Protein backbone atom coordinates (compact mmCIF):
# COMPACT_ATOMS: atom_id res chain seq x y z
CA UNK A 1 0.00 0.00 0.00
CA UNK A 2 1.59 3.25 -1.18
CA UNK A 3 -0.61 5.35 1.09
CA UNK A 4 -2.29 7.33 -1.70
CA UNK A 5 -5.87 8.51 -1.35
CA UNK A 6 -7.79 10.24 -4.10
CA UNK A 7 -11.00 12.17 -3.59
CA UNK A 8 -13.64 12.23 -4.79
CA UNK A 9 -13.60 8.78 -6.35
CA UNK A 10 -16.56 9.59 -8.57
CA UNK A 11 -17.95 12.93 -9.68
CA UNK A 12 -20.54 14.07 -12.20
CA UNK A 13 -20.59 17.74 -13.04
CA UNK A 14 -21.90 20.19 -15.60
CA UNK A 15 -19.91 21.86 -18.36
CA UNK A 16 -18.42 25.15 -17.22
CA UNK A 17 -18.25 24.34 -13.52
CA UNK A 18 -14.98 24.23 -11.58
CA UNK A 19 -13.77 20.89 -10.27
CA UNK A 20 -10.96 20.07 -7.87
CA UNK A 21 -9.54 16.60 -7.38
CA UNK A 22 -7.40 15.87 -4.37
CA UNK A 23 -4.50 13.48 -3.97
CA UNK A 24 -3.25 12.80 -0.47
CA UNK A 25 -0.18 10.77 0.44
CA UNK A 26 0.97 9.62 3.84
CA UNK A 27 4.68 9.07 3.15
CA UNK A 28 5.89 12.63 2.39
CA UNK A 29 7.34 11.72 -0.99
CA UNK A 30 8.70 14.61 -2.98
CA UNK A 31 7.37 13.66 -6.44
CA UNK A 32 3.66 13.53 -7.19
CA UNK A 33 1.88 13.23 -10.55
CA UNK A 34 -1.52 13.59 -12.14
CA UNK A 35 -2.40 11.41 -15.14
CA UNK A 36 -5.56 10.92 -17.12
CA UNK A 37 -6.54 7.64 -18.74
CA UNK A 38 -8.74 7.48 -21.81
CA UNK A 39 -9.56 4.66 -24.23
CA UNK A 40 -7.29 4.87 -27.23
CA UNK A 41 -4.89 7.29 -25.54
CA UNK A 42 -3.55 5.33 -22.61
CA UNK A 43 -2.21 7.22 -19.63
CA UNK A 44 -1.05 10.78 -20.25
CA UNK A 45 0.73 13.07 -17.82
CA UNK A 46 -1.13 16.27 -16.95
CA UNK A 47 1.11 17.93 -14.34
CA UNK A 48 3.64 16.84 -11.81
CA UNK A 49 5.25 18.26 -8.69
CA UNK A 50 8.76 17.88 -7.30
CA UNK A 51 8.16 19.69 -4.04
CA UNK A 52 5.97 22.18 -2.23
CA UNK A 53 5.03 24.91 -4.70
CA UNK A 54 7.23 23.28 -7.39
CA UNK A 55 5.21 22.03 -10.32
CA UNK A 56 5.66 21.48 -14.04
CA UNK A 57 3.49 20.75 -17.03
CA UNK A 58 3.03 17.40 -18.62
CA UNK A 59 1.84 16.31 -22.02
CA UNK A 60 -1.81 17.43 -21.70
CA UNK A 61 -1.82 20.36 -19.29
CA UNK A 62 -4.16 22.73 -21.14
CA UNK A 63 -7.32 23.38 -19.13
CA UNK A 64 -5.78 22.12 -15.89
CA UNK A 65 -3.98 23.77 -13.01
CA UNK A 66 -2.34 22.26 -9.94
CA UNK A 67 -1.29 23.35 -6.51
CA UNK A 68 0.86 21.86 -3.82
CA UNK A 69 0.91 23.88 -0.63
CA UNK A 70 1.76 20.90 1.58
CA UNK A 71 3.97 17.90 0.87
CA UNK A 72 1.13 15.47 1.38
CA UNK A 73 -1.48 17.07 -0.88
CA UNK A 74 -1.50 17.64 -4.65
CA UNK A 75 -4.61 19.26 -6.06
CA UNK A 76 -5.77 19.16 -9.68
CA UNK A 77 -8.23 21.86 -10.73
CA UNK A 78 -10.35 22.14 -13.82
CA UNK A 79 -11.27 25.82 -13.84
CA UNK A 80 -14.17 25.34 -16.26
CA UNK A 81 -14.86 21.70 -16.99
CA UNK A 82 -15.53 20.58 -20.56
CA UNK A 83 -16.89 17.30 -21.91
CA UNK A 84 -13.42 16.47 -23.28
CA UNK A 85 -12.20 16.32 -19.69
CA UNK A 86 -14.46 13.36 -18.93
CA UNK A 87 -11.88 10.78 -17.94
CA UNK A 88 -10.39 8.73 -15.17
CA UNK A 89 -7.75 10.69 -13.28
CA UNK A 90 -4.92 8.96 -11.48
CA UNK A 91 -2.53 10.36 -8.95
CA UNK A 92 0.90 8.77 -8.58
CA UNK A 93 3.91 9.18 -6.34
CA UNK A 94 7.55 8.27 -6.78
CA UNK A 95 9.77 7.70 -3.75
CA UNK A 96 13.27 9.10 -3.68
CA UNK A 97 14.74 12.53 -4.14
CA UNK A 98 15.33 12.39 -7.88
CA UNK A 99 11.90 11.24 -9.00
CA UNK A 100 13.35 8.34 -10.92
CA UNK A 101 12.06 5.63 -8.66
CA UNK A 102 9.14 3.31 -8.90
CA UNK A 103 5.73 4.84 -9.65
CA UNK A 104 2.83 3.99 -7.34
CA UNK A 105 -0.73 4.88 -8.25
CA UNK A 106 -3.91 5.74 -6.43
CA UNK A 107 -7.25 4.10 -7.18
CA UNK A 108 -8.39 6.83 -9.55
CA UNK A 109 -11.11 9.46 -9.73
CA UNK A 110 -13.76 9.02 -12.38
CA UNK A 111 -15.02 12.37 -13.66
CA UNK A 112 -18.00 12.79 -15.95
CA UNK A 113 -18.69 16.22 -17.43
CA UNK A 114 -22.19 16.55 -18.88
CA UNK B 1 9.22 12.35 -28.42
CA UNK B 2 9.19 8.92 -26.81
CA UNK B 3 6.62 6.49 -28.18
CA UNK B 4 5.74 3.23 -26.46
CA UNK B 5 3.98 0.38 -28.24
CA UNK B 6 2.55 -2.80 -26.80
CA UNK B 7 1.70 -5.70 -29.05
CA UNK B 8 -0.62 -7.54 -29.07
CA UNK B 9 -3.44 -5.36 -27.76
CA UNK B 10 -5.24 -8.46 -26.51
CA UNK B 11 -4.20 -12.02 -25.79
CA UNK B 12 -6.19 -15.07 -24.74
CA UNK B 13 -4.45 -18.22 -23.51
CA UNK B 14 -5.43 -21.42 -21.70
CA UNK B 15 -4.49 -21.80 -18.06
CA UNK B 16 -0.98 -23.12 -17.45
CA UNK B 17 0.56 -21.64 -20.56
CA UNK B 18 3.75 -19.60 -20.44
CA UNK B 19 3.43 -16.31 -22.26
CA UNK B 20 5.34 -13.21 -23.29
CA UNK B 21 4.07 -9.64 -23.47
CA UNK B 22 6.00 -7.13 -25.53
CA UNK B 23 6.82 -3.46 -25.07
CA UNK B 24 8.83 -1.41 -27.55
CA UNK B 25 10.04 2.18 -27.29
CA UNK B 26 11.58 4.59 -29.76
CA UNK B 27 14.14 6.49 -27.67
CA UNK B 28 16.74 4.30 -25.98
CA UNK B 29 17.90 7.08 -23.63
CA UNK B 30 15.74 5.89 -20.77
CA UNK B 31 16.09 6.04 -17.01
CA UNK B 32 13.99 2.99 -16.23
CA UNK B 33 11.09 0.86 -17.43
CA UNK B 34 8.22 -0.31 -15.28
CA UNK B 35 5.55 -2.96 -15.81
CA UNK B 36 2.11 -2.57 -14.27
CA UNK B 37 -1.05 -4.58 -13.95
CA UNK B 38 -4.49 -2.96 -14.06
CA UNK B 39 -7.72 -4.71 -13.17
CA UNK B 40 -11.00 -3.29 -14.54
CA UNK B 41 -12.04 -0.13 -12.70
CA UNK B 42 -8.92 -0.15 -10.56
CA UNK B 43 -5.63 1.68 -10.32
CA UNK B 44 -2.28 0.46 -11.60
CA UNK B 45 -0.32 -2.03 -9.55
CA UNK B 46 3.44 -2.02 -9.97
CA UNK B 47 4.87 -5.40 -10.97
CA UNK B 48 8.51 -4.85 -11.84
CA UNK B 49 10.90 -1.94 -12.26
CA UNK B 50 14.01 -2.30 -14.40
CA UNK B 51 16.68 0.38 -14.19
CA UNK B 52 18.45 1.32 -17.42
CA UNK B 53 21.63 -0.42 -16.21
CA UNK B 54 19.83 -3.71 -15.62
CA UNK B 55 18.94 -6.47 -18.08
CA UNK B 56 16.16 -8.21 -16.16
CA UNK B 57 14.12 -8.39 -12.99
CA UNK B 58 12.20 -11.29 -11.51
CA UNK B 59 9.32 -11.53 -9.08
CA UNK B 60 7.69 -14.90 -8.53
CA UNK B 61 6.28 -16.14 -11.85
CA UNK B 62 7.12 -12.87 -13.58
CA UNK B 63 10.34 -12.02 -15.37
CA UNK B 64 10.92 -8.75 -17.20
CA UNK B 65 13.83 -8.12 -19.54
CA UNK B 66 15.19 -4.93 -21.02
CA UNK B 67 17.21 -4.42 -24.19
CA UNK B 68 17.82 -0.70 -24.52
CA UNK B 69 19.77 -0.93 -27.75
CA UNK B 70 16.84 -2.49 -29.56
CA UNK B 71 14.23 -0.50 -27.64
CA UNK B 72 12.42 -3.54 -26.30
CA UNK B 73 11.21 -5.06 -23.08
CA UNK B 74 9.36 -8.30 -22.49
CA UNK B 75 7.28 -9.51 -19.58
CA UNK B 76 7.34 -13.28 -19.21
CA UNK B 77 4.56 -14.90 -17.20
CA UNK B 78 5.10 -18.52 -16.27
CA UNK B 79 2.32 -21.04 -15.71
CA UNK B 80 -0.47 -18.54 -16.25
CA UNK B 81 -3.56 -18.61 -14.02
CA UNK B 82 -7.07 -17.15 -14.43
CA UNK B 83 -6.16 -14.63 -11.72
CA UNK B 84 -3.52 -13.22 -14.08
CA UNK B 85 -6.30 -11.90 -16.31
CA UNK B 86 -5.85 -8.12 -16.44
CA UNK B 87 -4.39 -5.36 -18.58
CA UNK B 88 -0.62 -5.11 -18.48
CA UNK B 89 1.03 -1.77 -19.17
CA UNK B 90 4.63 -0.74 -19.56
CA UNK B 91 5.94 2.73 -18.83
CA UNK B 92 9.25 4.21 -19.89
CA UNK B 93 10.86 6.92 -17.75
CA UNK B 94 13.05 9.31 -19.66
CA UNK B 95 15.98 11.36 -18.44
CA UNK B 96 13.52 13.98 -17.23
CA UNK B 97 12.59 12.20 -14.03
CA UNK B 98 9.19 13.80 -14.00
CA UNK B 99 7.88 12.15 -17.11
CA UNK B 100 6.96 8.61 -17.99
CA UNK B 101 5.44 7.49 -21.28
CA UNK B 102 2.94 4.65 -21.18
CA UNK B 103 1.96 2.06 -23.71
CA UNK B 104 -1.72 1.35 -24.33
CA UNK B 105 -1.45 -2.04 -22.68
CA UNK B 106 -2.09 -5.68 -23.48
CA UNK B 107 -5.32 -7.16 -22.15
CA UNK B 108 -4.68 -10.72 -21.07
CA UNK B 109 -7.38 -13.34 -20.57
CA UNK B 110 -6.40 -16.66 -19.07
CA UNK B 111 -9.10 -19.28 -19.57
CA UNK B 112 -9.62 -22.04 -16.98
Amino acid sequence: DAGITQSPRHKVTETGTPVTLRCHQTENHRYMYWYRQDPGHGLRLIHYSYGVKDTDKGEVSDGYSVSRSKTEDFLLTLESATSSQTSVYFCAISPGQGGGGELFFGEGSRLTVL
Amino acid sequence: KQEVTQIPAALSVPEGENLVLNCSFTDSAIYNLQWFRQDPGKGLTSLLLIQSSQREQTSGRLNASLDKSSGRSTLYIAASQPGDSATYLCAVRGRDAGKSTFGDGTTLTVKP
Side-chain angles (χ1 to χ4, degrees):
Chain A
D1 183 2
I4 303 169
T5 304
Q6 292 186 229
S7 60
R9 294 290 314 281
H10 301 272
K11 186 172 181 67
V12 180
T13 191
E14 302 274 333
T15 296
T17 60
V19 176
T20 295
L21 305 180
R22 178 182 183 239
C23 177
H24 177 80
Q25 59 150 328
T26 59
E27 302 292 328
N28 290 325
H29 295 303
R30 183 179 170 199
Y31 280 77
M32 299 183 74
Y33 308 82
W34 277 108
Y35 286 87
R36 61 178 288 175
Q37 186 175 36
D38 305 285
H41 292 279
L43 274 123
R44 293 177 291 174
L45 181 65
I46 305 171
H47 282 279
Y48 70 101
S49 171
Y50 46 96
V52 173
K53 298 186 180 179
D54 291 324
T55 65
D56 203 354
K57 296 179 179 180
E59 179 184 2
V60 288
S61 59
D62 288 347
Y64 301 94
S65 63
V66 290
S67 66
R68 194 165 177 202
S69 58
K70 298 185 292 184
T71 301
E72 60 265 37
D73 289 327
F74 191 32
L75 304 181
L76 177 70
T77 297
L78 292 66
E79 300 290 348
S80 178
T82 67
S83 58
S84 66
Q85 293 176 312
T86 292
S87 186
V88 181
Y89 292 86
F90 287 100
C91 175
I93 60 94
S94 181
Q97 288 300 305
E102 198 166 355
L103 277 173
F104 295 96
F105 281 80
E107 286 294 304
S109 295
R110 183 175 295 274
L111 176 67
T112 302
V113 184
L114 302 176
Chain B
K1 176 186 173 184
Q2 180 74 269
E3 294 182 2
V4 180
T5 304
Q6 292 187 248
I7 296 174
L11 182 64
S12 180
V13 301
E15 181 177 3
E17 192 161 298
N18 302 325
L19 58 101
V20 173
L21 306 180
N22 297 294
C23 172
S24 61
F25 48 94
T26 55
D27 185 352
S28 61
I30 68 170
Y31 193 83
N32 62 42
L33 185 146
Q34 192 169 355
W35 283 93
F36 295 88
R37 168 190 174 132
Q38 186 175 29
D39 294 291
K42 300 292 187 180
L44 281 71
T45 300
S46 178
L47 297 175
L48 289 164
L49 173 73
I50 310 177
Q51 301 292 349
S52 62
S53 59
Q54 297 175 319
R55 293 298 299 259
E56 65 179 289
Q57 282 285 345
T58 298
S59 176
R61 294 183 293 109
L62 306 179
N63 176 275
S65 68
L66 174 64
D67 183 345
K68 280 198 309 179
S69 61
S70 66
R72 302 177 77 163
S73 176
T74 61
L75 179 67
Y76 174 83
I77 303 177
S80 59
Q81 304 169 357
D84 294 330
S85 297
T87 297
Y88 291 81
L89 299 103
C90 68
V92 175
R93 183 81 65 91
R95 292 296 173 181
D96 179 345
K99 301 178 181 178
S100 290
T101 304
F102 283 77
D104 288 342
T106 294
T107 299
L108 173 66
T109 302
V110 181
K111 298 180 179 179

